[in-house]
Each structure stands twice: as C-alpha cells, then as structure tokens.
C-alpha cells in the first residue's frame, strides 16, 4: 500500500489539534483539502479514523491505533530524506513526557536554550506523574523514574535519585520522632500509588544486601508528587522521597528521620521506541536533556541492588 505522506500528515495534525480548521491553518492549506485527505486515507485503510460531530473531532478506536504508526511513518520518512543531505537545521515536532516536578524545576527553565539552538523544532511537552504508553500515545521519548517494566523499548540510564525519609515538625510533635524501625508501629505513612488500591502502604529500608518493606498504615493515599509532598507538610504522615529539590528540608518545613533506613535509590532513565533508528531531532533532545539533568543525579552504584524488595511478615 503506497500511502501519501501529506495525507498522513494531515490526519496526524487533525488528531493532535482535534480540529480540521486548526489543522488546515497549521498546514497552510484549506479546510476542505484537509478533509478530503483524511477521507481518502480512511477509504484507503477501509475504516473510520475520526469521529466527527458538529462540536468536536475525536479519534475512533482504529484512529488511536493508527496514530502512533502514522507518527512513526512521518518520523522515518524525515530521517530517510536527510540521510544523504548535508547537515541542516533540525525540523519537526518532538513529543516528550516528563514527571511534573522534573519538568517544572529542571527542564522547562532550560528549554529556551534548546529551542534557541534549534529554532525550527516544536516541542509538545506532556507533564504527568502517571506512566504513559510510549507507543500508543506517540511519544518520541519519555523520562522515567523508577524500575522499568516496558518490553520492546530502548532505555538509557541517566543516574539515580538518592532518597530521604521525611516528616513535618507538627507530625513529629504529635507522634514522636522514630529512632528505629520498631518505633514505626505507632506512625503512619502518606501512601503514594499510581493506581489506588493496587498496592499496600509500606516503609522500604535496606537490610544487609537487600531491601525489605515494613507494612504500615496510611490515612491518605495520593497519586501525584506535589500532593505527596503537600500531604507530608500538612502533617498527614511520613514520606520516602527523592532528596533532589527537597527545599523543605533546608527551610525546616520538613525534618529528616531514620537516615540509616532509606529506601533504594530510584533509577532515572530515558525511554524511547525508535529502536536503533532514532531521528536526529530526538537524539539531539535526549543528549541535551541528559546534560541538563546530569548535575542533579547520582551515578548508580557499580553493583546495583535489585529493584524488588521483600515484604515483612
């Protein structure tokens, strides 16, 4: 099947902007021309890619599946077109997903320098603490914090985040300051969970050559880093968080506790689904991002402990 790239590009832009009018303005063609191209693509594929109403344009289930492939097709075509040409300015769109705090504190403040070096690039930046689907959601690269479980993706380890146990002064005044693990029996955690009810709260700590988890009670469960920190400051329990950016410790809003019982360092990785054929614009962004984050990360230990831990009985 010989698929016209301009037709694919029209579909991708409509899907991204959820509007034929805005897609036409972006592409510099008429709305009717964009509509005809999308209709032709649907006829060629034998399915409806978009659900059109008078008020909105949405992807159909087949459209969602095709969108990631369409983005990859355009990226591959751009890469092939540049294989035998002299070096030139990078062009195109980068779709990137970053954890919220990393984006706000470290990446977005430095982003103007990247765009100044590559003025013909456009960055679509998703910031979320949930784990996105790299392929289905069409991301060029994703910054992941924690253990990796995605198969078929390429990962580049950037470093690790050292962890710290924290509580607020008000919480410690009410519950006392724990001096050892046994003291945790009269304390509560703020529980962080990407999916409510999927896991039980526990305090992770190193015991010899492995990490264990001590079951604990939590009265509040959150699914975002900002809420996790805010709940701790509000005195709702103990947290185990990356030390990076923990200004609350220096300000006295939070207090470090149990320094001998920190949890495993969290790996930080760049993940993509381009295999060995990474588009130049993606490679340039990942190189820049690694350089930006390097001062904020620790080097992983030569022999790293496994990410899994045992739960106390």
């Amino acid at each position: 099947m010989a698929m016209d790239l301009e037709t694919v590009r029209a579909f991708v832009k409509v899907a991204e902007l959820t509007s034929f009018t805005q897609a036409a303005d972006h592409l510099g063609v008429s709305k009717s021309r964009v509509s005809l191209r999308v209709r032709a693509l649907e006829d060629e594929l034998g399915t409806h890619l978009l659900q059109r109403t008078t008020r909105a344009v949405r992807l159909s289930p087949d459209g969602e599946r095709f969108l990631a492939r369409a983005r990859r097709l355009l990226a591959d075509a751009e890469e092939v077109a540049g294989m035998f040409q002299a070096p030139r300015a990078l062009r195109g769109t980068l779709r990137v997903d970053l954890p919220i705090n990393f984006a706000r504190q470290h990446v977005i403040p430095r982003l103007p320098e990247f765009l100044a070096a590559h003025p013909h690039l456009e960055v679509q930046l998703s910031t979320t603490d949930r784990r996105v689907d790299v392929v289905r959601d069409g991301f060029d690269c994703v910054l992941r914090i924690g253990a990796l479980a995605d198969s078929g993706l390429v990962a580049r380890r950037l470093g690790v985040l050292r962890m710290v146990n924290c509580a607020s002064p008000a919480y410690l005044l009410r519950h006392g300051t724990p001096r050892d693990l046994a003291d945790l029996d009269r304390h509560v955690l703020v529980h962080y969970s990407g999916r409510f009810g999927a896991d039980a709260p526990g305090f992770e700590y190193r015991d010899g050559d492995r990490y264990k988890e001590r079951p604990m009670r939590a009265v509040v469960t959150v699914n975002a880093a900002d809420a996790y920190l805010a709940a701790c400051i509000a005195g709702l329990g103990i947290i185990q968080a990356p030390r990076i950016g923990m200004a609350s410790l220096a300000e006295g809003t939070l207090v470090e506790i149990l320094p001998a019982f920190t949890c495993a360092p969290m790996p930080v990785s760049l993940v993509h689904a381009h295999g060995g054929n990474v588009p130049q614009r993606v490679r340039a962004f990942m190189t820049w991002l690694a350089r930006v984050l390097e001062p904020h990360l620790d080097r992983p230990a030569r022999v790293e402990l496994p990410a899994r831990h045992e739960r106390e009985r």
Side-chain angles (χ1 to χ4, degrees):
M1 179 184 297
M3 198 165 293
D4 178 66
L5 291 178
E6 291 306 313
T7 297
V8 175
R9 187 171 285 109
F11 161 72
V12 169
K13 193 54 61 177
V14 172
E16 290 176 348
L17 299 177
T18 65
S19 167
F20 280 89
T21 301
Q22 292 183 38
D25 290 342
H26 186 95
L27 296 170
V29 298
S30 67
K31 177 182 176 182
S32 61
R33 187 169 181 82
V34 172
S35 181
L36 286 172
R37 283 176 171 170
V38 174
R39 291 280 188 191
L41 180 61
E42 290 178 321
D43 289 343
E44 186 174 1
L45 295 174
T47 187
H48 289 293
L49 301 174
L50 298 170
Q51 297 172 340
R52 306 160 177 84
T53 69
T54 56
R55 303 178 65 179
V57 177
R58 295 187 178 89
L59 285 168
S60 69
D62 284 344
E64 290 181 352
R65 287 193 290 271
F66 181 68
L67 180 58
R69 296 290 184 91
R71 286 177 174 141
R72 188 68 50 76
L73 177 64
L74 294 176
D76 288 346
E78 181 180 325
E79 189 75 7
V80 170
M83 285 178 62
F84 305 106
Q85 298 176 1
R88 58 176 181 169
L90 298 178
R91 298 178 182 274
T93 301
L94 282 162
R95 288 176 55 85
V96 181
D97 180 78
L98 304 173
I100 294 172
N101 284 341
F102 261 78
R104 185 180 66 238
Q105 296 174 12
H106 306 298
V107 180
I108 292 177
R110 298 280 302 274
L111 196 54
E113 71 183 48
F114 176 78
L115 293 175
H118 306 288
H120 300 292
L121 285 179
E122 174 190 346
V123 177
Q124 295 180 351
L125 183 59
S126 164
T127 58
T128 177
D129 288 330
R130 70 177 179 85
R131 291 221 163 182
V132 299
D133 187 309
V134 178
V135 176
R136 186 189 65 194
D137 296 333
F139 286 106
D140 286 306
C141 64
V142 167
L143 189 69
R144 286 271 165 86
I145 298 178
L148 298 177
D150 299 298
S151 59
L153 300 177
V154 179
R156 174 185 173 185
R157 175 70 61 85
L158 301 183
V160 297
L161 293 173
R162 299 295 170 184
M163 307 297 285
V164 61
N165 305 317
C166 297
S168 72
Y171 173 88
L172 296 175
L173 185 63
R174 291 196 309 272
H175 299 274
T177 300
R179 305 297 180 187
D180 55 37
L181 294 174
D183 290 343
L184 291 176
D185 289 342
R186 61 176 183 271
H187 288 269
V188 296
L189 293 176
V190 177
H191 183 41
Y192 186 100
S193 178
R195 293 183 300 134
F196 292 149
D199 52 4
F203 183 92
E204 185 184 285
Y205 64 96
R206 184 171 180 173
D207 181 23
D209 62 351
R210 65 183 62 190
Y211 284 91
K212 292 185 177 180
E213 187 175 88
R214 184 183 184 89
M216 288 184 64
R217 189 170 66 94
V219 295
V220 173
T221 299
V222 300
N223 64 355
D226 282 348
Y228 191 54
L229 180 61
C232 186
I233 292 173
L236 294 171
I238 295 168
I239 64 171
Q240 298 185 287
R243 185 179 287 273
I244 181 175
M246 192 65 78
S248 301
L249 288 174
E251 297 166 355
T253 311
L254 293 180
V255 177
E256 182 175 4
I257 61 172
L258 297 173
F261 298 99
T262 55
C263 58
M266 296 184 71
V268 179
S269 309
L270 269 172
V271 177
H272 66 84
H274 294 285
N277 186 29
V278 183
Q280 291 181 4
R281 67 182 186 280
V282 180
R283 189 181 300 114
F285 181 81
M286 291 195 300
T287 299
W288 172 81
L289 184 59
R291 188 170 64 250
V292 167
L293 296 181
E294 184 179 11
H296 307 289
L297 302 177
D298 291 329
R299 293 291 183 184
R302 181 171 298 178
V303 178
E304 293 184 34
L305 296 174
R308 296 181 180 178
H309 51 253
E310 296 182 354
R311 194 169 176 86
E312 291 184 2
R313 301 298 180 187

